[in-house]
Amino acid sequence: MAINRKDVEEIVRAVGGKENIEVATHCVTRLRFSLYDESKVDSAALDRNDLVKGQFSTQGQFQIVIGPGTVDTVYDEMIKLTGGSRASKDEVKNAAARKQNPLQRAIKTLADIFIPILPAIVTAGLLLGINNILTGPGIFFDEQSLVQVYPAWSDIASIINTIASTAFTFLPALIGWSAVTRFGGSPLLGIVLGLILVHPDLLSAYSYANASLEGTVPTWNLFGWHVEKIGYQGQVLPVLVSAYILASIEKFLNKRVHDSIKLLVVAPVTLLITGFLAFTIIGPLTFAIGNAITDGLVYIFDHFALLGGLIYGGLYAALVITGMHHTFLAVDVQLIGSEGGTFLWPMLALSNIAQGAAALAMIWIVREQKTKGLAVTSSVSAFLGVTEPAIFGVNIRYRYPFIFGMIGSALAGMLLTLNDVRASSIGVGGIPGFLSIFPDQWGVFFIGMAIVLIVPFLLTMLYGRTVVRRGEKVATAGAATAGTAATAATAATSAAAANELSSRSSVQASREPLNILELAAPLSGTAVPLEQVPDPAFAEKQMGEGIAIEPSEGKVYAPFDATVAHVIKSKHALILEHASGVQVLIHVGINTVSLKGSAFTAHKNIGDKVKAGELLLEFDMEAIRAAGLPLITPIIIPAGQEMVERIEEKSGPATAKQTGVLTIHLKG
């Protein structure tokens, strides 16, 4: 596509000139910069630029949305103008990460480690919840559990408990795999490291307290140095620090050991050194630090329960915005391992519900149909434990629902901490979160659930209705001053407009089949508004209108007869062109460019002719989830296509090749 060189020069100038560009790359839709000083960016100049569809900064990267197809040409021209070298996405990502402060880097690192293992933790939490129902006394019978009344169920409960507790019993192995992968080492060595720390020959960390009181803790005698022979079940810090050491040693040896003997040297030496350090120095030191952190939190919530519930319960939603909520996963795991339960997770579950209730109330306040639909779907998502769509799509946008959600969760948080409500596992949030709570505390938890459902909903409704009513009164008063003559003129104009619209509609009705392009769902799943996509370039429709699909299957099909206009090198996105000239972008997942094509299999190439329903590409959903990346797939009609008049979206369940998700009205 031909572009104006002057517009590219203006982009370079607006980001502070070539001297301010450390590295730059691009993906299928946008330019990605790591800038030396983002304060030099001239946002107003970028807004005036015809090439620029949007701009934002995230995780140290400054991104400029150009649009599919065009961005390649713009990037090539920019490289010629600046004389810079081409960079990969990883180079930009690494350069951007260096600009984050230590706290931001630590939060991101923890998120990168814990998000990939969340599916295992959530599954374990759900199954432990089922076990709680079967074994909890007083749920179905007075002072007796279901398995006590019906002993035939006891072995069923035992099997469920074994399956459910495995993820927590061998949690160091999961963390070891994820952490060593994050630090650049071999994932297999990470798994082995985690298993070493929970070896059955070691005294279980769960038995350490009693053994210590009885003086029966086993030890190793290393030439007079007595080292406690204990495992680190349920501990986070020992395996995190050990994983970093292991990855560092492995990378050091890989650079210096000849390929012919690497197999005999690198892994054995790495594990031996790391294992010794883990049991002699890292483990005892981090075990003590972890217990000190746990004791400190327990002290605060024991002695200042109201304050603890008010702060954590009220501010948890704010932590979600900053991303800091990921750090508390490690704290929850530590509390479960050391104390047998966590008092933080119950407040998290109720905070989810509070934000969902506030978003749900907006259905009766806002008038825009798209926002109403988003309020419904995002509130359901929050009730099931995922609050980002409700927080970013609705509540933050209007502010007061977000605040009232925090007020409701703060009140409930104080109730929970006063009654020492705890969860035996983590991973299950929202309304299903009661499955994680100890059954004898369900009563208090359900009262807290009622608080977070009612208080945010009513406060949002009352305040929102007041604001809307006040706005309507102002508008009515202003309209009344216009006088009866203006009213009559308006009525006449409205009648004429109505007649014209009726006439135009009847003419269009006869031509509609020629002017409409129906786009069938290219994936199976659930179609949702673009506002739910956790990427501003898509959510703010900077590239164009469209819809997104939460996929239930890893296959993408052609939504109509088309030509493949473009396939991105990393195979996560492609552009199709209809015979009418309309182009459609299908972008699988968010930030999946970072996978470098490893989770994708493309079945078509640029220039191929495809029929509606033909398989275009396949993607590995589990691999994408394991990388901590969202699967939600935007389907975009790129802006600037002159033949497109308007677009209608259809949300809800979608079946690939069958369900219509977009109606594109063409001009002419």
Side-chain angles (χ1 to χ4, degrees):
M1 176 181 175
I3 60 169
N4 189 332
R5 181 185 176 93
K6 184 178 178 183
D7 289 336
V8 181
E9 292 174 347
E10 290 296 332
I11 290 175
V12 174
R13 191 175 297 114
V15 297
K18 63 181 182 180
E19 299 81 8
N20 195 38
I21 301 174
E22 183 177 6
V23 284
T25 187
H26 75 95
C27 60
V28 70
T29 57
R30 66 199 79 172
L31 298 173
R32 297 170 179 256
F33 296 91
S34 174
L35 302 175
Y36 289 110
D37 185 359
E38 282 194 15
S39 65
K40 294 182 178 180
V41 173
D42 187 344
S43 297
L46 288 172
D47 288 337
R48 293 191 300 268
N49 196 303
D50 292 337
L51 287 173
V52 177
K53 305 294 190 298
Q55 55 179 298
F56 59 95
S57 178
T58 177
Q59 295 182 344
Q61 288 186 38
F62 188 76
Q63 302 186 21
I64 299 177
V65 180
I66 302 295
T70 312
V71 69
D72 304 71
T73 311
V74 172
Y75 181 72
D76 291 340
E77 189 64 34
M78 185 183 73
I79 292 298
K80 293 177 185 176
L81 285 170
T82 60
S85 58
R86 294 176 179 273
S88 67
K89 280 83 175 177
D90 285 341
E91 287 173 323
V92 173
K93 183 179 178 180
N94 293 335
R98 290 195 295 268
K99 294 181 174 62
Q100 295 178 318
N101 62 47
L103 178 61
Q104 289 173 321
R105 288 198 295 270
I107 291 171
K108 184 180 183 303
T109 298
L110 281 175
D112 290 344
I113 291 170
F114 279 93
I115 288 176
I117 65 174
L118 271 181
I121 294 176
V122 171
T123 300
L126 282 170
L127 293 176
L128 283 173
I130 296 172
N131 180 69
N132 287 342
I133 293 174
L134 294 174
T135 60
I139 299 176
F140 301 103
F141 307 98
D142 291 340
E143 299 182 359
Q144 284 188 303
S145 67
L146 185 68
V147 296
Q148 288 174 318
V149 176
Y150 299 104
W153 283 88
S154 60
D155 286 340
I156 298 292
S158 177
I159 292 174
I160 292 173
N161 184 61
T162 299
I163 297 171
S165 61
T166 297
F168 290 103
T169 301
F170 296 100
L171 186 64
L174 296 178
I175 296 175
W177 162 74
S178 188
V180 171
T181 303
R182 169 63 180 80
F183 296 135
S186 168
L188 181 60
L189 293 184
I191 295 172
V192 175
L193 171 66
L195 293 174
I196 287 171
L197 295 179
V198 293
H199 195 284
D201 284 352
L202 304 171
L203 173 70
S204 171
Y206 301 127
S207 305
Y208 178 76
N210 290 334
S212 182
L213 289 173
E214 296 169 0
T216 58
V217 177
T219 60
W220 283 300
N221 186 346
L222 305 179
F223 304 103
W225 180 17
H226 292 275
V227 177
E228 291 183 329
K229 190 180 177 181
I230 62 172
Y232 294 97
Q233 290 84 354
Q235 300 294 308
V236 174
L237 286 178
V239 68
L240 282 179
V241 176
S242 298
Y244 177 77
I245 298 296
L246 182 143
S248 300
I249 294 173
E250 184 189 7
K251 287 188 289 186
F252 176 85
L253 292 175
N254 269 325
K255 291 178 181 177
R256 290 162 176 81
V257 176
H258 194 273
D259 290 346
S260 61
I261 57 171
K262 272 186 178 180
L263 186 62
L264 299 174
V265 174
V266 175
V269 172
T270 299
L271 279 175
L272 192 61
I273 294 175
T274 307
F276 264 95
L277 290 174
F279 286 122
T280 58
I281 299 174
I282 299 171
L285 182 60
T286 55
F287 187 67
I289 293 172
N291 286 333
I293 293 172
T294 301
D295 292 342
L297 280 171
V298 171
Y299 179 86
I300 291 171
F301 278 86
D302 279 348
H303 292 79
F304 308 99
L306 278 175
L307 182 62
L310 175 69
I311 294 174
Y312 191 77
L315 296 181
Y316 180 78
L319 295 177
V320 173
I321 295 176
T322 64
M324 290 182 65
H325 63 301
H326 293 302
T327 63
F328 286 91
L329 287 172
V331 179
D332 279 309
V333 171
Q334 182 73 29
L335 284 168
I336 292 171
S338 302
E339 299 291 317
T342 171
F343 42 76
L344 297 179
W345 191 264
M347 288 185 278
L348 174 153
L350 294 190
S351 177
N352 296 157
I353 300 171
Q355 291 298 322
L360 185 64
M362 296 301 290
I363 299 171
W364 289 273
I365 297 171
V366 297
R367 298 184 182 277
E368 186 186 10
Q369 290 302 312
K370 284 185 180 180
T371 306
K372 283 180 181 289
L374 179 58
V376 172
T377 55
S378 64
S379 62
V380 171
S381 173
F383 291 151
L384 295 177
V386 181
T387 55
E388 281 83 354
I391 289 176
F392 293 107
V394 180
N395 296 352
I396 284 293
R397 180 177 172 186
Y398 293 95
R399 293 186 179 87
Y400 62 89
F402 181 70
I403 294 171
F404 292 142
M406 289 198 297
I407 290 173
S409 61
L411 294 173
M414 290 190 289
L415 173 71
L416 296 187
T417 52
L418 276 176
N419 290 275
D420 196 27
V421 175
R422 299 194 179 206
S424 60
S425 61
I426 64 173
V428 186
I431 292 175
F434 78 91
L435 293 171
S436 297
I437 309 302
F438 288 103
D440 60 338
Q441 299 171 334
W442 280 3
V444 177
F445 185 78
F446 285 139
I447 294 173
M449 191 181 293
I451 291 173
V452 294
L453 281 168
I454 295 169
V455 172
F457 184 87
L458 289 181
L459 289 178
T460 302
M461 281 284 289
L462 292 173
Y463 182 83
R465 285 289 180 87
T466 302
V467 171
V468 171
R469 196 178 298 118
R470 187 184 303 142
E472 288 175 345
K473 286 181 179 179
V474 171
T476 302
T481 61
T484 56
T487 303
T490 302
T493 303
S494 298
N499 290 334
E500 181 183 347
L501 178 61
S502 175
S503 174
R504 191 189 321 158
S505 298
S506 64
V507 172
Q508 285 181 343
S510 64
R511 301 187 306 175
E512 195 170 57
L514 300 176
N515 294 331
I516 289 180
L517 173 60
E518 290 285 354
L519 193 147
L523 308 90
S524 292
T526 303
V528 298
L530 283 179
E531 288 85 352
Q532 292 196 29
V533 179
D535 185 312
F538 294 113
E540 297 173 8
K541 301 183 179 179
Q542 295 176 359
M543 287 178 290
E545 296 187 57
I547 202 161
I549 293 180
E550 287 280 8
S552 59
E553 181 186 35
K555 294 182 179 180
V556 178
Y557 301 92
F560 45 61
D561 294 352
T563 301
V564 179
H566 188 68
V567 178
I568 195 67
K569 185 178 179 181
S570 49
K571 297 179 285 187
H572 70 286
L574 52 82
I575 299 172
L576 299 178
E577 184 171 315
H578 186 259
S580 63
V582 174
Q583 291 192 338
V584 177
L585 165 67
I586 303 172
H587 191 289
V588 179
I590 303 303
N591 287 328
T592 43
V593 63
S594 61
L595 298 177
K596 301 177 183 177
S598 61
F600 300 90
T601 302
H603 294 286
K604 300 296 177 183
N605 297 312
I606 297 174
D608 287 352
K609 304 288 183 182
V610 296
K611 292 289 185 182
E614 278 194 60
L615 182 63
L616 299 175
L617 66 87
E618 294 181 85
F619 55 97
D620 187 336
M621 296 175 66
E622 291 307 316
I624 296 173
R625 286 195 187 100
L629 301 173
L631 279 163
I632 190 167
T633 298
I635 298 136
I636 304 294
I637 311 302
Q641 301 188 68
E642 295 181 356
M643 73 289 292
V644 176
E645 184 174 2
R646 61 188 174 89
I647 299 165
E648 296 176 15
E649 304 98 30
K650 301 171 187 176
S651 300
T655 302
K657 303 182 283 183
Q658 297 180 25
T659 309
V661 291
L662 288 176
T663 301
I664 305 168
H665 294 261
L666 306 178
K667 295 178 181 177

